Amino acid sequence: MEFPAALVNALRQAQRVSALTGAGVSQESGLRTFRDAQDGLWAQFRPEDLATPQAFQRNPKLVWDWYAWRRAKVREAKPNAAHLSLVELARLVPHFILITQNVDGLHQAAGSPRVIELHGNIRRVRCSVCGKPHSEWDESEAEVPRCNTCGGLLRPDVVWFGESLPASELDTAFEAARNSQIFFSIGTSGVVQPAASLAYYAKQNGALVVEINAEPTPLTPSADFSFQGKAGEVLPALVKVTFSKQ
Ligand code: NAD
Ligand code: ZN
């Protein structure tokens, strides 16, 4: 795979690099993106209709079961070459910040030292009323498990459509975008706000914006470099070309 010398040289010299990842990064680990059709039991539902506070209010059991099914898939999944390249970048770049919209925890499983999770993590569960985190709950029950303190229904610790993002993560992400010399947008359709603004904000503040995605996105025309392909192929190739001994 060929990469422009301007990008390779910039990456080799950069002190501050950030990357924003989306569901496309986990696609090669066998996890579906939201834009892929769902399979099996869940094919009749749109994710956008399940990942909302209204859906949980209307039918908590349906939403809980969908997340339980996704959680099981996530636990079976293994990090892929894209996740591992991002671990490498954290080692090779003096200041590297990884920001993800993914809720699957695969960056941490791969060994990324610090991950800014904008949309929470499906492996964690908290009370929908008092917020108390729960590390154990009974998955076999016919009803949605309840909080052992206030009796409220438990829910996944993720950000649903219409909910606000965790403030400190969001601040850290915008600060990273502002300070970056290179900003990667990888495997994200760039339509879910406010994460989608990060790349533009980085560019306004002088970063080179590099997109790696399976297909063009709204960001593509604004990116300084755009690579259409699989994250698990493009990213390892770029890291190798940039950092292997010349
Ligand atoms: P998205 O589904 O909107 O977009 C994924 C993008 O990745 C698409 O443009 C697709 O063309 C591209 N893509 C697919 N396979 C790829 C590959 N192998 N390499 C590179 N690109 C590839 O996902 P999003 O932008 O992350 O936003 C959707 C929301 O869905 C997020 O809020 C996220 O929290 C949630 N989500 C998370 C997971 C997960 O944690 N694994 C899975 C599904 C959805
Ligand atoms: Zn509670």
Side-chain angles (χ1 to χ4, degrees):
M1 209 174 286
E2 293 269 329
F3 295 97
L7 170 61
V8 171
N9 290 334
L11 184 56
R12 201 174 278 151
Q13 285 157 22
Q15 297 290 308
R16 297 180 307 280
V17 176
S18 306
L20 170 70
T21 64
V25 159
S26 295
Q27 186 264 346
E28 291 158 82
S29 293
L31 300 178
R32 282 169 180 265
T33 69
F34 273 4
R35 315 289 160 216
D36 292 335
Q38 299 214 65
D39 55 9
L41 190 59
W42 298 101
Q44 55 182 308
F45 298 101
R46 291 180 349 134
E48 292 87 343
D49 296 336
L50 293 166
T52 67
Q54 292 77 13
F56 188 66
Q57 234 164 22
R58 214 165 33 231
N59 194 340
K61 180 69 176 144
L62 177 76
V63 173
W64 176 269
D65 285 350
W66 182 57
Y67 277 96
W69 171 78
R70 289 182 58 199
R71 195 181 299 118
K73 297 240 171 213
V74 155
R75 286 196 175 130
E76 284 166 17
K78 303 243 177 330
N80 64 56
H83 296 107
L84 296 173
S85 290
L86 289 159
V87 179
E88 280 289 278
L89 279 178
R91 196 171 62 74
L92 294 163
V93 174
H95 301 280
F96 181 76
I97 295 187
L98 179 56
I99 307 158
T100 191
Q101 300 168 88
N102 293 344
V103 296
D104 55 34
L106 286 181
H107 287 305
Q108 291 91 331
S112 280
R114 184 160 170 247
V115 185
I116 311 298
E117 290 181 318
L118 292 179
H119 294 164
N121 193 314
I122 199 173
R123 301 181 197 228
R124 293 192 305 260
V125 162
R126 65 176 158 90
C127 173
S128 64
V129 177
C130 74
K132 181 181 173 184
H134 284 63
S135 54
E136 282 174 33
W137 59 89
D138 192 350
E139 201 70 78
S140 63
E141 284 191 33
E143 299 296 315
V144 176
R146 287 184 179 272
C147 175
N148 56 20
T149 301
C150 79
L153 295 175
L154 297 187
R155 59 164 283 179
D157 192 6
V158 299
V159 177
W160 282 329
F161 292 105
E163 293 185 321
S164 39
L165 277 66
S168 70
E169 276 80 357
L170 197 57
D171 284 353
T172 309
F174 273 91
E175 191 191 318
R178 187 173 65 241
N179 293 330
S180 292
Q181 295 161 309
I182 303 182
F183 187 92
F184 284 94
S185 177
I186 311 170
T188 172
S189 59
V191 295
V192 180
Q193 290 294 355
S197 330
L198 285 165
Y200 298 94
Y201 187 64
K203 192 175 167 70
Q204 277 162 22
N205 285 279
L208 278 182
V209 171
V210 185
E211 179 181 56
I212 301 172
N213 207 67
E215 59 187 11
T217 74
L219 176 66
T220 308
S222 305
D224 295 284
F225 301 97
S226 185
F227 302 99
Q228 222 167 299
K230 293 189 170 209
E233 293 171 5
V234 178
L235 201 51
L238 176 61
V239 171
K240 187 166 177 222
V241 167
T242 305
F243 293 104
S244 56
K245 299 243 177 335
Q246 300 124 57

